[in-house]
Each structure stands twice: as C-alpha cells, then as structure tokens.
Amino acid sequence: MNERIYMSSPDIGQLEEDAVVAAMRSGWIAPLGPDVDAFERELATRVGVAHGVALASGTAALHLGLLALDVKPGDVVVTSTLTFAATTNAIIYTGAEPYFVDADPSTGNMDPDLLRAALSSLRDTSRKVGAILPVDLLGKAVDYTSILAIANEFGVPVLADAAESLGATHDGKAAGSFGEASIVSFNGNKVMTTSGGGMLLTDDIEIAQRVRYLATQARQPVVHYEHTDIGYNYRMSNLLAALGRAQLARLDEMIARRREVRESYKALFADVPGVQIFGAANDQNDNVWLTSILVDEATAGWKPQDLVSALAADNIESRPLWKPMHRQPVFAGYGGLINGASENLFSRGLTLPSGSALNNEQRERVRSAIVAFLDRV
Ligand SMILES: *Cc1c(COP(=O)(O)O)cnc(C)c1O
C-alpha cells in the first residue's frame, strides 16, 4: 500500500526542531516562560491587536472568550451551523444555549440577513443573547462589515471563531482582529501548529486579563492562592510556544504553498462539468486552509462519495464538509434559523488534501488519482 496522504498534516522542519530544543535547554519547560510572552506579542502584532493570551487549545480560547464576555447559563449564543463541533461545545460548557444560523451558500459563512432575522425574533422573547459567535469557514473571513454592524445595532458582543482563518483578511484587516475578541487554533491540521494550542486575541485589556486569570485556575494574587471563581488549567506551555514562534515565522510561506495547491486544483477541475471549487470565486484574501469541491451530481454524473472511495483506494484522505450542527444528534433540539444552505453544501462538498507539507510527489499522486477517476466516470 502507498504511504497515506492526509488532508492537512503538520508542516515541521529544522527551524521548529531547533526552537523546541532551545526552549528545553533554556530551562523554561513549563508551564509558562519567555517564549509564551514573545509568542503572544508576535501573534498579536501580526494580527494587529493589543493583546494575545496563549492557551491549551482553540476550544479553551472559545470557552474563556465567552466567559469573559459574561455569557451566563440560560443565555443564547447565536452561531454558525456550518462549523466544527468545538464552536458549539464551547457554548454548551458555559451553560448557554446555541442558536444556529444558516450559511451564505457562496462562502459557507454566517448569512448576515439570517443573523438579523434571528436577533429580531430573539428580541421578542425573554431570552438574553449573550454573544454572537461567527466562524471563518475553511479560511475565508466572515463578512464582518455586515455582521459587526448588525451586532452593534442589537447591542450584542461578538466573539469571532478564526480557528481556521489565521493569515486571511477582510477589508484589509486580519482575521483574528474582529469583534470584542477573536480566537485562533494551532491544532495539528491548521495553517500553523503548536501540536495543540490556541490563542485569544483582543484589543480589550479587561477581556485579556480575565481570560489569563481564568486560564490559570483563577488564583487571586496572594501567596496562599485565594479563590473566588471557578478556574481552569488552560495555559499553553513554554515548549509549545517556542514551536509556535517558529511556525509563525513561516506562516506566509506555508500559506503560499497552500495557495499553490488551491491553484493546481482550480486548473485540474476547470473543465470538469458539474464541479466547482468552493469559495474560489473570491479567494484572494483567504488563507486557503482547505480546498473543497462542490459536486452537482446531475451534471457531473458522479457523487462526492465516489471520489472519496477512489482516493481511499489509493490511501489518500478526503472528507465531506462539516456536518451542520443542527443535524448533529447531540445538538438536536436547539433553535435556529435554517434555510437548507448548509445542508446543501454538506451534501455536495468534498475536501481534498490541502496541506503545505504536501511534497511534489504527493501532490502528483493526488492529481493522477483524480485524473484516473475522472477518466473512468
Ligand atoms: C479547529 C477548530 C476549533 C478548535 O480548535 P482546537 O485548537 O482544536 O481546540 C474551533 N473552531 C473551529 C471552526 C475549528 O476548525
């Protein structure tokens, strides 16, 4: 069997290895240390915000971001249905309830018109909307111009889930800089990785301080560790921050590599009937984290699952888009404004190997497997 090709595997080399070894030899192993401070400064500067708080995961950043916005049990958090479960899980951790809003079919991101309708109908209930939590799907920033204007009109704070979009921009501003706070993820499959980790980014020093405090077991600054709040153990270790700094230095190079992969898929599928590259019409400001195709079965004469099977036979990973949250058994029963756009994308979408670590030989294997499949169907 051929060596397995993954959708998005870590892109790690000598620079990263040297950084982690240097951090170990410095004696700053855990928990915090100078690489954490430097990583927070460097990423906040890159994104253009005043504060970064490095955390154990993007999910932890979502959880504490919601708490810092004062989201309480019984509140409603309006969020995207087309996302990874971590977004919704973090809402549930706070005791609040998710309210799912459907997607703009051309981007998969939260549809601003549906957000407005959702906030209008929730205003007529006794429920408090604690926050809006939009998601930058697959590395394309949300239409923040519209979303933030609506949030402002209804007086609801925004926590932006930029887990997938580090390096992307909207209207000249970096993903990770929008809303009261944003979060990014350094999970192993994201554009850059710390093996596992995340960061909360904000211009608001009170939010940053609150998140820092909650992430370190909510210790009051006295020697005997006085506690007046429930805390969490969510900080990033110094070794992982060293890895993150090396990855951040290569972020643009890695995104450029992903863009090459995106462009080669565009060329490959250009003349294939019934297939389009998802979100490609307007992708110049995206970080092109993952490349997905949308298949119109009636025109193409084949289903996404047929290509999944063909690629799997050659040990190449591919996967559907995120299954919408309102369709997940664990989240059934929560409210939302659903018009079918996400389900349509879910049924037609297929994500292909997109990582910056793919070498030329692996890219050629994927290409020839797809060409062979298209010749057969
Ligand atoms: C990856 C991801 C997360 C979670 O990040 P972790 O670092 O894996 O906890 C949250 N939201 C979205 C949309 C993601 O893709």
Side-chain angles (χ1 to χ4, degrees):
M1 194 67 166
N2 274 326
E3 167 213 14
R4 181 142 177 90
I5 295 179
Y6 293 95
M7 281 188 354
S8 182
S9 42
D11 184 350
I12 297 292
Q14 194 63 46
L15 188 71
E16 287 79 2
E17 188 177 325
D18 292 346
V20 174
V21 170
M24 281 184 164
R25 290 190 178 149
S26 77
W28 292 97
I29 307 298
L32 295 164
D35 282 300
V36 173
D37 299 339
F39 186 37
E40 290 176 342
R41 273 198 313 275
E42 288 164 4
L43 195 75
T45 301
R46 159 82 199 216
V47 166
V49 297
H51 310 283
V53 184
L55 298 164
S57 67
T59 311
L62 285 167
H63 183 191
L64 297 190
L66 290 169
L67 293 180
L69 292 180
D70 214 23
V71 169
K72 293 236 160 35
D75 286 358
V76 175
V77 174
V78 179
T79 190
S80 305
T81 189
L82 191 55
T83 184
F84 177 53
T87 316
T88 315
N89 285 338
I91 297 169
I92 307 281
Y93 299 163
T94 67
E97 282 192 11
Y99 188 89
F100 299 117
V101 170
D102 221 318
D104 172 338
S106 66
T107 64
N109 284 334
M110 182 183 276
D111 181 331
D113 292 335
L114 290 181
L115 172 64
R116 178 189 297 282
L119 292 171
S120 298
S121 73
L122 287 163
R123 190 166 50 186
D124 299 334
T125 70
S126 57
R127 310 297 298 279
K128 180 182 173 229
V129 180
I132 300 165
L133 179 36
V135 180
D136 299 337
L137 192 74
L138 306 186
K140 183 185 288 292
V142 165
D143 174 7
Y144 286 107
T145 308
S146 303
I147 299 285
L148 294 178
I150 295 165
N152 199 32
E153 185 186 323
F154 285 83
V156 180
V158 171
L159 177 66
D161 184 343
E164 302 176 1
S165 62
L166 184 57
T169 61
H170 167 77
D171 201 16
K173 275 188 74 189
S177 70
F178 293 96
E180 271 63 25
S182 293
I183 73 95
V184 293
S185 164
F186 314 117
N187 189 15
N189 64 357
K190 297 294 181 354
V191 283
M192 60 171 270
T193 187
T194 58
S195 76
M199 200 179 290
L200 181 121
L201 296 156
T202 182
D203 277 324
D204 185 328
I205 187 155
E206 282 174 24
I207 291 176
Q209 282 171 343
R210 184 79 186 161
V211 168
R212 230 176 263 284
Y213 159 77
L214 290 173
T216 45
Q217 307 283 21
R219 291 194 299 258
Q220 294 292 332
V222 289
V223 276
H224 62 263
Y225 290 167
E226 185 86 356
H227 294 275
T228 55
D229 290 291
I230 298 296
Y232 304 87
N233 183 6
Y234 275 176
R235 280 293 249 160
M236 177 183 283
S237 96
N238 195 63
L239 290 186
L240 301 189
L243 176 53
R245 294 181 71 195
Q247 285 268 281
L248 181 56
R250 291 184 48 234
L251 178 61
D252 291 322
E253 166 202 324
M254 292 191 291
I255 290 175
R257 186 86 186 151
R258 283 184 192 261
R259 191 166 287 282
E260 274 179 29
V261 174
R262 165 72 58 98
E263 295 302 323
S264 62
Y265 284 127
K266 281 185 190 171
L268 180 56
F269 287 103
D271 299 320
V272 179
V275 178
Q276 65 188 91
I277 307 281
F278 179 38
N282 211 347
D283 70 2
Q284 63 282 358
N285 299 320
D286 302 358
N287 73 0
V288 292
W289 174 48
L290 296 178
T291 295
S292 305
I293 56 172
L294 298 178
V295 182
D296 175 12
E297 191 189 337
T299 313
W302 50 275
K303 294 192 279 293
Q305 185 53 46
D306 301 332
L307 181 53
V308 172
S309 306
L311 292 173
D314 203 13
N315 210 13
I316 296 169
E317 183 186 26
S318 63
R319 232 188 287 143
L321 297 179
W322 304 126
K323 180 174 178 179
M325 293 301 111
H326 70 274
R327 292 268 318 276
Q328 299 287 356
V330 69
F331 302 131
Y334 293 114
L337 268 190
I338 301 301
N339 65 7
S342 295
E343 288 192 44
N344 182 266
L345 290 169
F346 174 59
S347 68
R348 292 163 59 212
L350 178 64
T351 304
L352 298 167
S354 311
S356 54
L358 290 170
N359 62 33
N360 291 342
E361 184 195 330
Q362 291 168 322
R363 280 166 52 175
E364 177 52 29
R365 249 184 70 202
V366 175
R367 196 193 66 81
S368 54
I370 294 172
V371 168
F373 168 80
L374 293 172
D375 284 346
R376 251 192 339 265
V377 290

